[in-house]
Amino acid sequence: MSEMWIQPTGGPLGADVHGVDLCQPVDDAVFHKIVAAWSEHLVLRFGGQRIDDTTLMKFSARFGELDRVPIASADVDSAHSDVAPEAVAWVNVISSIKKEGKAVGGLGSYELVWHTDMSYNPLPPRASLLYALEVPPEGGNTGFLNMYTAYETLPGDLKRAIEGRSCIHDASKNSAGELRQGFQRTLDVRQTPGAVHPLVRLHPLSRRKALFLGRRPGAYIHGLPVEESEALLDALWAHTTQERFAWYQKWRVGDLVMWDNRCVMHRRDAFDESLRRLMHRTQIVGEPVLAG
């Protein structure tokens, strides 16, 4: 293994990790440098990797206990995903590929809105790691938002308006708007199923405050009339999704990208549904969301 070095993207977050081959053992000294770089840059990219699911799981587990895969949408047939049986519970397939007319993974080829992974759970995952096995020649890029900076640059009136407030995070639909198995559509946002989290989250390690919005559809701010909740959420999202807080990853086969789900949101560009895109994702079990 050559000497590891970090190359920031030059954007508001993100950095490349060079000199690390994840097929080889990563010693503790190098791992501690990776953790420090991750804390500083929030998103890390390891390019040119050639790893299997076992290696992906082993590396991911160094950051904490692996989380189980989320509930799939109704049209996904994971039996044809080619994930090894011992990895099925821990490796989530993100794919546009179909076999025998059934999707072998989730989230297809369409746009995914800005979101935090599985924030509808009481303990949302701390981190997500996404590994590219097949990518289309164009489209399917992933954008990331720095939610520390989004909070720190909020106008004073918005900061005051959300102080001490909590928000429902919708469990019924995924980030493509598909209804998950076992859920029904909800018309009244006050009845949205899902966890309730503070709008301002304190990171347990950095002790910095971040906006914690989850995703826009189905959200509701507790204790407010629906109209006031909608207006406040619209203002927060208009601020947060400015390009000055974003960096985009253009995928190449062999890219492994990891992000801190506690202080980063992400989205995906749509791409031609006839093209193949195949990703394997692991996630790290979360901890209680601390109010900021």
Side-chain angles (χ1 to χ4, degrees), residues 6 28 36 145 179 198 226-227 246 279 286:
I6 303 296
D28 288 344
L145 285 173
L179 198 65
V226 171
E227 296 78 8
M279 309 282 195

Side-chain angles (χ1 to χ4, degrees), residues 234-275:
D234 284 347
L236 290 171
W237 280 89
H239 171 81
T240 300
T241 56
Q242 296 176 76
E243 287 301 310
R244 64 184 171 125
F245 305 134
W247 169 75
Y248 275 79
Q249 150 77 351
K250 180 173 174 56
W251 290 94
R252 297 168 295 179
V253 171
D255 280 350
L256 173 65
V257 174
M258 62 178 294
W259 61 92
D260 191 328
N261 204 45
R262 298 164 290 193
C263 54
V264 172
M265 283 204 303
H266 60 287
R267 65 171 297 277
R268 185 187 73 190
D269 292 334
F271 59 97
D272 187 331
E273 65 179 4
S274 68
L275 300 175

Side-chain angles (χ1 to χ4, degrees), residues 48-200:
Q49 303 297 317
R50 294 293 183 269
I51 58 176
D52 59 18
D53 288 335
T54 300
T55 304
L56 174 61
M57 291 168 60
K58 182 180 293 186
F59 178 67
S60 302
R62 294 190 70 172
F63 297 92
E65 180 186 351
L66 294 182
D67 206 359
R68 299 186 72 86
V69 301
I71 300 169
S73 62
D75 64 346
V76 173
D77 181 9
S78 58
H80 291 89
S81 68
D82 295 331
V83 173
E86 63 272 18
V88 165
W90 317 108
V91 174
N92 189 26
V93 178
I94 312 298
S95 173
S96 61
I97 300 167
K98 293 186 176 182
K99 292 184 180 179
E100 300 175 8
K102 292 284 284 185
V104 301
L107 303 179
S109 61
Y110 19 72
E111 177 187 359
L112 305 185
V113 298
W114 287 112
H115 66 284
T116 301
D117 280 334
M118 296 170 65
S119 65
Y120 52 83
N121 284 342
L123 303 178
R126 276 176 286 178
S128 298
L129 295 92
L130 189 59
Y131 177 59
L133 292 158
E134 297 185 51
V135 299
E138 58 183 53
N141 298 338
T142 301
F144 296 96
L145 285 173
N146 186 330
M147 300 303 286
Y148 288 144
T149 310
Y151 173 73
E152 291 161 359
T153 57
L154 270 178
D157 59 336
L158 283 182
K159 272 190 180 178
R160 289 188 292 272
I162 64 175
E163 186 174 354
R165 294 283 185 188
S166 296
C167 183
I168 295 177
H169 293 238
D170 186 8
S172 66
K173 293 183 289 293
N174 64 23
S175 51
E178 299 170 321
L179 198 65
R180 290 192 171 94
Q181 294 179 12
F183 288 93
Q184 296 180 335
R185 298 197 179 276
T186 305
L187 298 179
D188 184 349
V189 292
R190 294 170 297 182
Q191 304 303 318
T192 296
V196 177
H197 296 302
L199 280 165
V200 182

Side-chain angles (χ1 to χ4, degrees), residues 26-48:
V26 176
D27 67 35
D28 288 344
V30 170
F31 183 72
H32 290 149
K33 290 179 181 178
I34 291 171
V35 171
W38 186 39
S39 177
E40 180 178 356
H41 299 288
L42 316 186
V43 178
L44 294 181
R45 175 171 58 194
F46 302 78

